[in-house]
């Protein structure tokens, strides 16, 4: 794209100091380039769960595994919930600053211009909004990209009173991947019919100059950053520090040479260009989609290798109907590049075959008119198209770079629309696959416990070795079980008299243990890099459950220093939970204590504050003491889980009560006991009390009860900054999975607009309380009506049940 020079020529811009670049490659030109204008689209906020599934959808519809990497990165950008850029440090205006109208001088159209790219850049995005807005399904695409587009690029376009049809190209160079909206530079190039000169009349000059042009600020606070206009159609803006650095340097010196190389070689005239510093993304703990294929064991290892190798990634895509794209992956050295190509050569045919088989199965299901046949057919078409596109991928190695090229006859817009349309089917498929692997893991863990029980006559203690040490410093029951999980050599190397993370045990305890990793959650590391477990032994009910004796009604299968014998499970092994999955508060598999033995302390227990979960939105799996694996619905009565989590709690609740939307209770409602005190055990002649139970106050209407329970789900932290009320409600609606309706007439009566900006920062609350606080500030409240939540005036909710 063209880059202008000012009237007063700046110092000559030299080539960046980087290794010799690869020869630049251009994406094939389009035969038709519609430039139709489109009004700016209003994109709605996406929940964290929706964003996770968009990553899967984007991969499923990606033209190749190499492009899947890229699309995964883009989807991470979508999940980065940035806010509007914070105001810069004040730049004093000078009345003497003259407005200079430079003469436009184009630079090489096929390259990104490094002049406006800071040395510390970690991310470059360049798009053609006016062209993209003319594509079929563009409104849905912009809606999906809302959380990425709105906070920075969308905010800039709106601040300078531009529409998508006005912007020929917009480029963004971001510096801080931990907060992409904080620092960076944006370049906006407008179409011929949209001049930027009127901006001078609504702005004030500053003392900052960029290439001989005085920077200005907009009047008001819509966009607080300085900007410079070159000619009539090019605007450069960004935080004052970044612009000052550009003005002061004589030539680029990119901090990451790989990023600099891609800036020099990636095609700059494509419809979408992306450059990412992957090394910086890893350091910033971006949730890269490296775990996305863990549910597919055949391709998981190659997929991880692909993500581990590249230092930087460059992508150029042209949307001219067919898929035409090029992707460069820059590695540390030629050896790493060859290893990366080997991984791609393994993944591509396997992925093509798997997608082809999936398409055949789905087509057969649709033909047999099974449930959701239409969605299965959509999914089948998408899988077939993706498989065909994979066959068009070509790769080559040039020094440290692996270059992928895709030239497929598949319609990219149709492929993207297909991915969105098939979202429910893809989501269900991914969850079902993940649950199957999760179930296999739990069955293996339970089988090992059964073998141990046959060999030793008892189950292992929750924390072993060093009896004088606190449980949290001892080795875990999982460490005891290593011989039963195929790691006898590890077990023999452990020193059980020492702490789990001591020098004596680190060589083993730093090893990842695949048997305790739920593929739906992916491998991870806790404190100091020790690999975690996604499965824990159940200690019972209450904070002190792990310290209780087997005879206590609140005790579970696992105790810190206790070994449980089969005869002590008086409630029956089939009615007692031995193992549960954890998705939160995960800890090292080798550590005793909370990391590997956990009690039920605060409901809701499924995906709740105790961290129990299997990565499934509707429930989780539970491993029973008899070796069976049961599904636990998220709607199960908390008291059911409390009784099944104990070995000697009494009552007549059985595993059958774990079914979907189960509200099973004992035949006779027990009296609510006081919490069990571990230091004061009941006398032998006294009736054993029941373990602590969840609060009993529930509305009689089951639909209302479900809504109340969902609104009571905890939120660790949530923040809104100048976010329209409609988007705030959409966010909370997505988190609760409950419709939230706001009648415009009700809002009007209370002098409230759906576009009113909301600023709130809440922590340690629930979805319902967050909704209540936000509405209260606008003089509103809400009522639960059947399956939905209705925004009302404050008077109506006084008699409604509170979540």
């Amino acid at each position: 794209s063209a880059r202008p020079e000012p009237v007063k020529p700046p110092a000559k811009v030299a080539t960046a100091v980087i290794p010799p670049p690869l020869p630049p490659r251009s994406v094939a030109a389009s035969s038709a380039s519609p430039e139709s204008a489109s009004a700016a689209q209003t994109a709605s906020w996406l929940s964290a769960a929706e964003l996770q599934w968009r990553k899967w959808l984007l991969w499923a519809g990606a033209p190749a595994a190499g492009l899947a990497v890229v699309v995964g990165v883009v989807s991470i950008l979508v999940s980065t919930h940035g806010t509007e850029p914070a105001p810069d440090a004040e730049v004093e205006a000078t009345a003497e600053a003259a407005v200079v109208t430079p003469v436009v001088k184009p630079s090489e159209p096929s390259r990104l211009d490094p002049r406006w790219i800071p040395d510390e850049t970690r991310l470059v995005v360049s798009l053609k909004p006016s062209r993209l807005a003319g594509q079929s399904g563009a409104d849905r695409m912009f809606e999906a990209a809302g959380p990425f587009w709105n906070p920075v690029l969308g905010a800039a376009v709106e601040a300078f009173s531009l529409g998508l049809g006005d912007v020929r190209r917009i480029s963004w160079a971001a510096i801080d991947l931990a907060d992409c909206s904080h620092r960076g530079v944006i370049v906006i190039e407008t179409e011929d019919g949209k001049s930027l000169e009127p901006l001078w009349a609504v702005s004030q000059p500053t003392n900052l100059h960029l290439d001989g042009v005085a920077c200005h600020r907009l009047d008001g606070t819509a966009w607080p950053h300085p900007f410079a206009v070159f000619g009539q159609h090019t605007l450069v803006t960004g935080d004052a520090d970044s612009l000052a650095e550009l003005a002061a340097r004589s030539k680029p010196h990119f901090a990451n040479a790989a990023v600099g190389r891609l800036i020099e070689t990636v095609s700059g005239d494509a419809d979408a260009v992306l450059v990412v510093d992957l090394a910086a993304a890893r350091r910033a703990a971006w949730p890269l989609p490296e775990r996305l294929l863990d549910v597919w064991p055949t391709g998981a290892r190659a997929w991880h290798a692909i993500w581990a190798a590249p230092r930087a990634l460059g992508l150029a895509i042209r949307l001219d109907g067919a898929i035409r794209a090029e992707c460069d992956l820059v590695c540390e050295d030629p050896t790493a590049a060859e290893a990366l190509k080997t991984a791609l050569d393994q993944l591509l045919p396997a992925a093509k075959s798997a997608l082809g088989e999936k398409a055949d199965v789905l087509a057969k299901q649709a033909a047999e008119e099974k449930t959701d046949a239409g969605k299965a057919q959509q999914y089948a078409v998408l899988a077939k198209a993706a498989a065909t596109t994979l066959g068009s991928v070509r790769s080559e190695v040039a020094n440290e770079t692996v270059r992928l090229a895709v030239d497929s006859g598949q319609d990219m817009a149709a492929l993207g629309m297909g991915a969105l349309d098939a979202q429910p089917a893809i989501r269900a498929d991914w969850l079902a696959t993940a649950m199957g692997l999760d179930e296999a893991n739990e069955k293996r863990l339970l089988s090992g416990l059964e073998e141990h029980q046959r060999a030793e006559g008892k189950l292992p203690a929750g924390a072993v070795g060093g009896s004088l040490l606190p449980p949290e410093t001892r080795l875990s029951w999982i460490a005891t079980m290593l011989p039963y999980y195929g790691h006898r050599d590890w077990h023999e190397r452990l020193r059980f008299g020492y702490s789990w993370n001591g020098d004596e045990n680190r060589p083993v305890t730093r090893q990842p243990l695949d048997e305790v990793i739920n593929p739906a959650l992916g491998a991870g590391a806790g404190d100091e890099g020790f690999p975690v477990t996604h499965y824990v032994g159940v200690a019972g009910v209450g904070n002190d459950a792990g310290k209780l004796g087997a005879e206590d009604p609140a005790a579970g299968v696992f105790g810190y220093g206790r070994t449980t014998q089969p005869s002590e499970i008086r409630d029956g092994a089939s009615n007692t939970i031995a193992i549960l999955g954890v998705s939160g508060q995960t800890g090292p598999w080798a550590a005793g204590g909370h990391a590997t033995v956990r009690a039920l302390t605060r409901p809701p227990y499924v995906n709740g504050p105790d961290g129990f979960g299997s990565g499934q939105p509707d429930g989780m799996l539970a491993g029973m003491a008899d070796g069976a694996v049961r599904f636990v619905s998220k709607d199960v009565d908390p008291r059911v889980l409390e009784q099944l989590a104990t070995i000697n709690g009494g009552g007549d609740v059985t595993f059958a009560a774990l079914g979907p939307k189960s509200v099973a209770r004992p035949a006779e409602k027990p009296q609510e006991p006081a919490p069990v005190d571990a230091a004061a055990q009941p006398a032998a002649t006294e009736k054993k009390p029941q373990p602590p139970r969840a609060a009993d106050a529930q509305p009689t209407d089951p639909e209302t009860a479900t809504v109340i329970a969902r609104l009571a789900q905890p939120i660790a932290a949530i923040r809104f900054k100048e976010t329209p009320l409609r988007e705030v409600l959409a966010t909370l609606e997505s988190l609760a999975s409950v419709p939230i309706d706001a009648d415009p007439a009700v809002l009007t009566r209370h002098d409230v607009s759906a576009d009113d900006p909301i600023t709130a920062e809440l922590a340690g609350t629930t979805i319902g309380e967050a909704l209540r606080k936000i509405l209260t500030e606008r003089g509103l409240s809400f009522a639960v009506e059947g399956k939905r939540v209705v925004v009302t005036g404050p008077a109506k909710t006084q008699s409604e049940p509170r979540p």
Side-chain angles (χ1 to χ4, degrees), residues 540-543 585 599-612 638 642 694 714 764-765:
V541 180
N543 290 320
Q585 305 174 37
L600 280 63
T601 64
R602 288 185 298 162
Y605 297 124
V606 180
N607 299 326
D610 287 334
F612 295 114
E642 288 166 356
T765 184

Side-chain angles (χ1 to χ4, degrees), residues 500-516:
W500 68 269
N501 57 352
D503 293 339
E504 299 81 2
N505 289 319
R506 281 174 179 256
V508 173
T509 58
R510 277 194 176 279
Q511 299 294 322
L513 185 59
D514 292 342
E515 287 77 6
V516 294

Side-chain angles (χ1 to χ4, degrees), residues 65-432:
L67 294 184
V69 175
V70 176
V71 175
V73 173
V74 175
S75 70
I76 297 303
L77 297 178
V78 175
S79 69
T80 303
H81 297 290
T83 58
E84 291 184 9
D88 314 310
E90 181 62 27
V91 180
E92 296 181 1
T94 56
E96 295 78 15
V99 176
V100 179
T101 303
V103 177
V104 176
K105 177 184 176 183
S107 60
E108 297 181 13
S110 63
R111 306 259 298 273
L112 293 174
D113 190 343
R115 189 190 325 178
W116 310 129
I117 302 178
D119 291 341
E120 299 296 326
T121 292
R122 306 301 181 187
L123 167 72
V124 179
V125 178
S126 186
L127 303 169
K128 291 183 177 179
S130 61
R131 177 168 164 78
L132 296 175
Q135 299 290 320
S136 174
D139 53 344
R140 294 183 64 190
M141 289 298 186
F142 274 102
E143 180 182 356
F148 161 61
W149 171 264
N150 293 336
V152 181
L153 300 179
V157 170
E158 182 179 359
F160 292 106
S161 301
L162 300 172
L164 292 180
D166 299 325
V167 182
R168 181 168 62 88
R169 178 174 288 281
I170 184 168
S171 302
W172 174 34
I175 293 175
D176 184 3
L177 294 188
D179 183 0
C180 290
S181 65
H182 181 59
R183 291 197 60 197
V185 175
I186 296 176
V187 181
I188 299 175
E189 302 169 45
T190 60
E191 296 288 358
D192 291 340
K194 185 65 176 180
S195 174
L196 295 170
E197 287 187 335
L199 291 175
W200 299 124
V202 292
S203 61
Q204 299 297 323
T206 72
N207 65 353
L208 178 64
H209 289 68
L210 190 62
D211 273 6
V213 177
C215 292
H216 281 228
R217 280 192 195 277
L218 288 174
D219 295 337
T221 60
W223 184 258
H225 305 305
F227 69 92
V229 174
F230 297 85
Q232 297 184 15
H233 300 292
T234 302
L235 178 150
V236 179
T237 185
D239 66 283
D241 290 340
S242 296
L243 294 184
E245 290 175 8
L246 292 180
R249 75 181 184 183
S250 59
K251 60 183 180 180
H253 291 273
F254 294 111
N256 185 330
V259 170
R261 171 175 298 190
L262 291 171
I263 289 171
E264 288 291 309
T265 60
V266 72
S267 176
D269 60 352
D271 294 313
V273 175
L274 174 69
V275 175
V276 182
D277 183 339
L278 290 178
R282 298 183 193 104
R283 291 194 299 271
W286 272 22
L288 297 173
E290 57 192 318
R291 303 188 326 219
L292 200 58
L293 299 191
D294 283 353
V295 300
W296 180 38
T298 305
R301 189 175 299 278
W303 181 255
H304 278 275
I306 291 170
W307 276 101
R311 296 178 56 206
L313 174 153
L315 170 71
I317 298 178
R318 180 171 292 283
L319 304 177
D320 57 354
I323 298 174
R324 303 176 187 275
E326 294 166 359
C327 176
D328 283 356
L329 299 166
V330 183
C331 301
E332 187 71 31
D333 51 43
T335 301
E338 290 290 349
L340 174 59
K341 186 176 185 303
T342 298
L344 283 166
D345 291 343
Q346 293 173 351
L347 182 66
L348 288 171
K352 178 183 177 181
S353 175
L355 285 171
E357 292 174 2
K358 172 61 69 174
D360 292 340
V361 171
L362 291 168
K364 181 179 179 181
Q365 292 177 348
E368 294 174 353
E369 298 184 353
K370 294 185 177 181
T371 304
D372 296 330
K375 294 179 181 179
Q377 182 61 37
Q378 289 177 332
Y379 189 4
V381 172
L382 178 64
K384 193 70 173 179
T388 301
T389 303
L390 283 172
S392 71
V393 179
R394 299 294 179 265
S395 64
E396 62 181 5
V397 176
N399 298 320
E400 301 90 22
T401 301
V402 178
R403 173 168 285 160
L404 298 171
V406 180
D407 189 353
S408 170
Q410 298 294 319
D411 186 327
M412 194 164 192
L415 204 58
M417 291 301 98
L420 293 177
D421 291 338
Q423 178 181 358
I426 297 174
R427 182 176 187 271
D429 188 22
W430 195 94
L431 285 173

